[in-house]
Structure formats: structure tokens, C-alpha cells
Amino acid sequence: MKYKLLISLLVISTALFCNSIFSFKGMPLQYYGNDVYGMGMGDTGAADLFRINPNFSNPSVATSTNKVLFSTAVSMGYMWYEDADGNSFRDDGMVLPYFQIAVPILNHRLAFSFNSIASGDLENERDTYFETSAGDTLFYNETNRLSSSLFKAEGIYAYKNPIINIGIGASYYLGHRIRYWKSDFDDSNLTDTKYEIEKTFKNPGFSIGLSKRINQLSIGLTYSNHVKLKGDVEYKFDHDPWSNSMDYTDDYLFEVAPSISGAFTYRFLERYKASLDVHYDMWEDTDLYDKNVLKAGLGFAYDPLSGYGKWYERIPIRLGGYIRELPFEADNAKISEQAVTFGTSIPLKSANKKIELAVQYLSRGNIDDNNLSDRSLMFTFGITGFDIFKKRPKKIEHREIPKADKGLVK
């Protein structure tokens, strides 16, 4: 039953979605591998070795686990879109950001990770018109729909070493991009048209990570390689295309930029931590976009000592924020993204088992520069620390039933 649940989670993840008004430009939503704890702490934690950390974006961080670990989460919330003409709309979405398992064997760690890397979904509909060369005005309803996602499945080996922790990830990327367009004319004598272009792509890659804890400071460094994703393109029409302009001859459909990440976590006064994560995506090395971009996150955490203090002193609190630039532009201007975050935890009866909560408020783009903008408020719930392979201990032992003394039996 447990294994069926794990398979179901992987299948469900491909059906969930999250939206942005910039989706027609690229994949604006990007996930950097943080667990719910890190999401509430400014989306940081790629070097936090002061806790059991399921952030395997740095493969060497898998050494923080000391038993079979299972961790997953779900994010849901609302998005608001706005354009320069004053049009606005509210949408909702949901996504399963990650699914992690780690197994310790002495100083070795074997792990599996399935993550949502990037996505962009959007649908809009409008009533519009155009004028023909004969001077007629034709009114029609236009529908545009886009669904795009990129996932990464990764097998991880990590070695816990007193000098430096080392981790290697063998990854496999898979994704899709489906573009749909339809026109519905008011005049029934005119032919309505629609088409759909579906691209599916995949290819392997790798990542390597290092991490080290030095007294109250832990540091991490990660590199992921450049991957060109190949696949298939399928065109669906209900009419004959007017030209062969839809022919596709490129030998790849999408790219994953090489990236390097550095992270720091500092613990002070026993109960407090500060984390800084910096990610640098080198899109100039690809043919997809022509500029490198940076993401920087900063977060703080209060982790109370278990069983000490009054009730309000036992509540963990995390907060932070980050800034990021997207690799593509809108209206010939860069698109900036910024977010503030908050998080806490609900401990369960068993040690290291808890429910994590994170809240993120994000804004992307602005009307003055991009003529478009969107905002989102996302709530993320995660579970971590459950040893799914551990059998329930027997509370009843076998014991012999005493026999009656033969001399007392009548």
C-alpha cells in the first residue's frame, strides 16, 4: 500500500499546475529544490546541515539524514494578473514541488528526488475583430491556452566525510509544452479554426555538490550541467495550414542552463539561524536566451529547544525573502521577481516527524516597464521525517500460560 502511494504521488505531480501571465514568453515559475522549511525561510537552505534537510538540489546535503527519510509537499494558492489596459483577473493553482527519499548506509547515502523544475500555464479568451481588404469587419472570439512543465528525476549518491561531504546526482529531465489556439467567428458562414502544437522533450544530466560544517557555519557549493532536451513535436489542425511555416527542423526543443549555486547557513545563540543562497543560471551558454540571471535569497529562523520555555516560546518561526531576474523579457524590459516568506512547523508525537507550513507572497514584473504584472499568494504544506520502511513494533510479546497444579485439579 505504501509503494502504491509513492507511485500515485509521482503521477499526480504531472497533473498539477501553477500559472503566470508571462507564460507565453517562457517558463516563469522556477523551483530551486528547497523543502518547505527553506521555502518559509526566504527560499534558502541548500547548505543547512544543522537539521535533517531534504533539500537535495545540493546532492551532498543528503548526508544530513540519519535514517530512511521521506519528504513531500503540496503548494496551493491564488494568482492575480493585470495589464496596462486595466484588465485584471484572479486565478488559482496547485503544484507538488518535490518528492524525496533518502536511505543511509553507514557514511553513505542513497537518495531519490523527483522535482518540478519550471512551469508556465495560462489561458485567456477575448472578443475581438479585424477588417478585411474589402472593408468588412469580422468579429470573433479568440482563445489562447498554454501548458508547459519541466520535471527532474534524480538518483543521488552522497558520502559523509569529515573533510568535506560529497554528492553526485544523475538526473533525467522530462517536460512538455502544449500551445492551443482557437477562433470562433460570429458569422456562421465563416470557417472557425483551431490548432494545437504539443512538444515533449527529455534527456539526462548531472549535478555535483559539496558541503561542510565548520562549528556554527555550514557552507555548500553546487554545479549542474547544460542539457539540451530532445523529443517530438505533434501538430493538430482542423484546417489546412496556409504554409509550411510550422515545420520544425531543430535538433532539440528546450534547454536547461548550466548553473552554479553557493549557500551559507550560520547558527547563533543556539536557537537562531541565518541562511543566504545565491543561484547563477548561465543562459548565455544556451541558444534559448541571451543573458545570465541571478537569484539571491536571505532567511532567518528561530528553532526553539524541545520541551523548554512557555508555549509561545516553543513555536518555531521562519521568515525571509528573495529577488530574481527572469531569463527572458517582456516589452523589451527585464522581468524582476521578488517575494517575502513566512514559515512554521507543527511537531508530531515521534521525534523528527513534523508538518511544515510556509506562506509566500510574490510579485513578478510591473505595468510601467512590462505592461504586464502578476502577484501570487501561495500556501505550502509538507511532511518530513517519516520512516516509511520501518515496521510498527510489536507491543505484545509471546508468553507462556501457567498450567494448574495437578494436585489441585479435581
Side-chain angles (χ1 to χ4, degrees):
M1 188 67 181
K2 295 176 180 177
Y3 307 103
K4 290 182 179 179
L5 174 61
L6 302 185
I7 296 172
S8 299
L9 289 172
L10 293 179
V11 173
I12 290 172
S13 68
T14 62
L16 305 180
F17 61 92
C18 212
N19 306 335
S20 170
I21 199 170
F22 296 101
S23 295
F24 287 116
K25 306 291 184 179
M27 293 193 191
L29 285 87
Q30 188 166 348
Y31 171 67
Y32 286 85
N34 291 299
D35 65 330
V36 181
Y37 183 108
M39 291 179 185
M41 195 178 170
D43 208 26
T44 63
D48 190 353
L49 298 177
F50 298 104
R51 63 183 176 93
I52 298 175
N53 188 355
N55 180 347
F56 298 157
S57 62
N58 181 337
S60 68
V61 173
T63 58
S64 66
T65 61
N66 52 23
K67 64 178 182 179
V68 177
L69 177 74
F70 163 75
S71 183
T72 190
V74 61
S75 296
M76 59 188 73
Y78 302 98
M79 288 123 266
W80 294 267
Y81 312 137
E82 187 177 0
D83 64 18
D85 297 327
N87 301 310
S88 61
F89 178 71
R90 197 204 79 178
D91 201 357
D92 54 36
M94 183 167 60
V95 65
L96 182 72
Y98 65 87
F99 172 87
Q100 322 275 34
I101 292 179
V103 180
I105 306 174
L106 300 177
N107 288 334
H108 309 274
R109 302 292 185 272
L110 299 177
F112 173 77
S113 172
F114 188 84
N115 295 339
S116 171
I117 299 299
S119 66
D121 298 271
L122 187 64
E123 180 176 355
N124 61 36
E125 184 177 333
R126 64 171 182 167
D127 292 321
T128 185
Y129 66 92
F130 69 90
E131 294 183 357
T132 66
S133 57
D136 297 327
T137 301
L138 302 180
F139 295 89
Y140 65 99
N141 177 271
E142 181 182 66
T143 300
N144 281 279
R145 185 187 307 140
L146 177 73
S147 172
S148 58
S149 296
L150 180 63
F151 300 92
K152 181 175 74 170
E154 189 170 33
I156 294 169
Y157 167 76
Y159 179 65
K160 191 172 185 178
N161 189 284
I163 299 176
I164 194 167
N165 301 319
I166 302 173
I168 298 175
S171 54
Y172 193 80
Y173 296 93
L174 60 158
H176 73 271
R177 183 178 177 87
I178 303 173
R179 180 75 163 84
Y180 173 86
W181 177 85
K182 177 182 178 181
S183 65
D184 185 4
F185 287 94
D186 290 349
D187 190 342
S188 59
N189 294 321
L190 299 175
T191 302
D192 298 331
T193 58
K194 63 181 178 180
Y195 70 80
E196 182 177 279
I197 304 174
E198 180 178 2
K199 301 178 182 180
T200 56
F201 35 82
K202 56 190 175 181
N203 241 355
F206 74 88
S207 62
I208 183 169
L210 305 173
S211 61
K212 173 69 175 178
R213 177 175 169 180
I214 308 172
N215 297 324
Q216 301 304 307
L217 175 69
S218 66
I219 58 177
L221 184 66
T222 311
Y223 170 79
S224 297
N225 73 316
H226 174 206
V227 182
K228 289 189 174 183
L229 305 181
K230 299 181 179 181
D232 300 310
V233 182
E234 183 178 358
Y235 302 104
K236 301 175 184 178
F237 300 92
D238 69 344
H239 62 285
D240 293 329
W242 64 273
S243 74
N244 63 355
S245 61
M246 303 304 292
D247 291 344
Y248 201 90
T249 58
D250 289 352
D251 61 350
Y252 64 91
L253 303 179
F254 196 74
E255 292 184 79
V256 177
S259 66
I260 186 169
S261 304
F264 306 86
T265 296
Y266 178 68
R267 187 171 69 176
F268 56 99
L269 299 179
E270 195 172 11
R271 304 181 182 183
Y272 302 89
K273 285 190 300 186
S275 291
L276 172 66
D277 285 23
V278 178
H279 305 270
Y280 188 65
D281 298 327
M282 294 169 278
W283 287 102
E284 287 183 358
D285 293 349
T286 73
D287 296 326
L288 199 59
Y289 305 118
D290 58 1
K291 65 175 179 178
N292 299 334
V293 294
L294 185 75
K295 180 201 172 188
L298 179 64
F300 300 91
Y302 166 69
D303 287 333
L305 299 177
S306 178
Y308 290 87
K310 298 181 179 180
W311 67 269
Y312 55 85
E313 295 177 307
R314 303 179 188 179
I315 301 175
I317 297 175
R318 297 178 289 275
L319 52 89
Y322 72 81
I323 55 174
R324 178 173 81 101
E325 183 181 349
L326 274 63
F328 49 87
E329 297 183 346
D331 201 34
N332 295 319
K334 71 177 184 179
I335 305 172
S336 297
E337 177 182 296
Q338 44 278 323
V340 292
T341 67
F342 172 81
T344 187
S345 301
I346 301 176
L348 302 178
K349 291 183 179 180
S350 301
N352 297 322
K353 297 182 180 180
K354 53 190 174 181
I355 298 175
E356 307 279 13
L357 306 174
V359 181
Q360 179 194 78
Y361 178 77
L362 177 149
S363 64
R364 184 183 296 112
N366 64 77
I367 297 297
D368 293 336
D369 296 332
N370 309 120
N371 286 323
L372 299 170
S373 70
D374 64 32
R375 297 172 291 120
S376 65
L377 179 64
M378 300 299 295
F379 302 88
T380 305
F381 307 87
I383 54 176
T384 189
F386 292 91
D387 190 341
I388 62 173
F389 298 104
K390 188 175 181 181
K391 292 184 178 180
R392 196 175 196 180
K394 292 183 178 180
K395 296 183 179 180
I396 300 177
E397 294 291 339
H398 175 74
R399 62 189 180 93
E400 294 184 0
I401 300 175
K403 297 181 180 179
D405 192 333
K406 293 182 179 180
L408 298 179
V409 178
K410 295 182 179 181

